[in-house]
Amino acid sequence: MSSQHPEQKAEQAADQLPAHSEEERREQPVSRMGMFGAKTTGDTSGYGGLVVRQSPKVSTPRPFGGPEGGAEAGVFDEVADALERALPDFGDAIERVVVDRGEMTFFVKRERLAEVARTMRDDPSLRFELCSGVSGVHYPQDTGAELHSVTHLLSITHNRRVRLEATCPDADPHVPSLVPVYPTADWHERETYDFFGIVYDGHPALTRIEMPDDWVGHPQRKDYPLGGIPVEYRGAEIPPPDERRSYV
């Protein structure tokens, strides 16, 4: 019996997938230049010449397997089957399912997010009782779905983890709040709103939680300026990144 952790096995299996050829990679559109994609200030990361190309949206075919990987039906198939039974219009609510490196993600239409989350919590064969976190992701190149809200769920009953991911456009950054379903999402949604600007409709008190109330912008977006604001710490002033040493 191997002593490897199941997630380690899954990562190693993913690393063994055949790599795309250089010609195939060049055909993909450029997603961003540099490490962070910021264009307003100097990139002092040393990766200013990095070219990141956009990958096509993927959907994992069945069988989904489980956290330990494998090509046969497993835990993830059981979760998907249970959700499909509980949601008669599963195909309308769930846009796609992605299994990668031992993790399962349901991409949910944002208007159906609260309904799907409630089903994940209440259905006896699912019983995802705990929301362990809500996080945001910004993909400037994903036109019409630039902002992603990711909800991490844990089933204490069945010892399983999955994620619900909903997208919204930068021009309409609204996603339903899951606080009525999972009260623990309260401060997590506030933090995601603070850093990414995703507005959680129905949240009881959607205010900043990290940045000052009068702060302009959302600093974890990929297009947020890297510098421009000097930092004072214990009497010393640290210049903004665009005024520090640059790498050419």
Side-chain angles (χ1 to χ4, degrees):
M1 175 180 285
S2 172
S3 60
Q4 273 189 317
H5 191 277
E7 291 183 2
Q8 290 178 320
K9 291 182 180 179
E11 287 182 2
Q12 289 182 359
D15 291 339
Q16 292 171 359
L17 294 175
H20 293 289
S21 67
E22 185 176 351
E23 291 74 17
E24 291 174 327
R25 290 198 302 272
R26 289 185 182 278
E27 289 178 359
Q28 296 173 349
V30 175
S31 169
R32 72 173 191 270
M33 302 289 290
M35 178 62 78
F36 303 104
K39 302 178 179 65
T40 54
T41 58
D43 184 349
T44 61
S45 66
Y47 291 91
L50 180 67
V51 177
V52 179
R53 296 189 175 273
Q54 182 176 349
S55 299
K57 292 184 179 180
V58 297
S59 182
T60 304
R62 285 180 178 267
F64 297 132
E68 68 284 348
E72 299 179 353
V75 168
F76 291 154
D77 293 89
E78 296 175 13
V79 173
D81 291 341
L83 182 58
E84 194 166 0
R85 287 192 300 268
L87 277 177
D89 52 349
F90 175 90
D92 178 68
I94 307 300
E95 296 176 330
R96 56 197 175 101
V97 182
V98 175
V99 176
D100 184 46
R101 289 172 169 77
E103 297 179 329
M104 183 179 209
T105 303
F106 290 100
F107 283 79
V108 186
K109 288 184 178 178
R110 60 172 170 170
E111 60 270 19
R112 305 291 300 276
L113 180 60
E115 176 191 356
V116 172
R118 191 173 289 108
T119 303
M120 298 290 283
R121 182 194 67 183
D122 295 342
D123 188 270
S125 55
L126 293 167
R127 293 299 291 153
F128 285 88
E129 307 98 332
L130 176 65
C131 170
S132 60
V134 178
S135 53
V137 192
H138 184 211
Y139 296 101
Q141 76 283 356
D142 194 1
T143 306
E146 292 88 353
L147 295 169
H148 292 220
S149 177
V150 186
T151 305
H152 306 261
L153 301 181
L154 168 65
S155 170
I156 301 173
T157 299
H158 302 295
N159 190 25
R160 296 171 177 173
R161 295 179 184 270
V162 299
R163 294 183 296 198
L164 305 180
E165 189 160 340
T167 67
C168 58
D170 201 0
D172 181 28
H174 290 263
V175 170
S177 172
L178 293 184
V179 173
V181 183
Y182 293 106
T184 53
D186 189 339
W187 284 18
H188 297 286
E189 289 183 353
R190 284 181 61 191
E191 183 179 52
T192 306
Y193 159 72
D194 194 352
F195 285 152
F196 291 92
I198 299 176
V199 179
Y200 290 94
D201 296 330
H203 191 284
L206 194 63
T207 57
R208 290 191 181 273
I209 192 173
E210 299 280 355
M211 309 302 292
D213 291 338
D214 58 352
W215 192 269
V216 178
H218 305 282
Q220 284 194 352
R221 289 196 184 192
K222 297 287 179 61
D223 53 4
Y224 191 81
L226 289 177
I229 301 171
V231 179
E232 293 185 7
Y233 181 69
R234 294 190 176 183
E237 183 174 300
I238 303 171
D242 57 342
E243 295 178 12
R244 302 179 202 166
R245 181 178 61 181
S246 62
Y247 298 84
V248 224

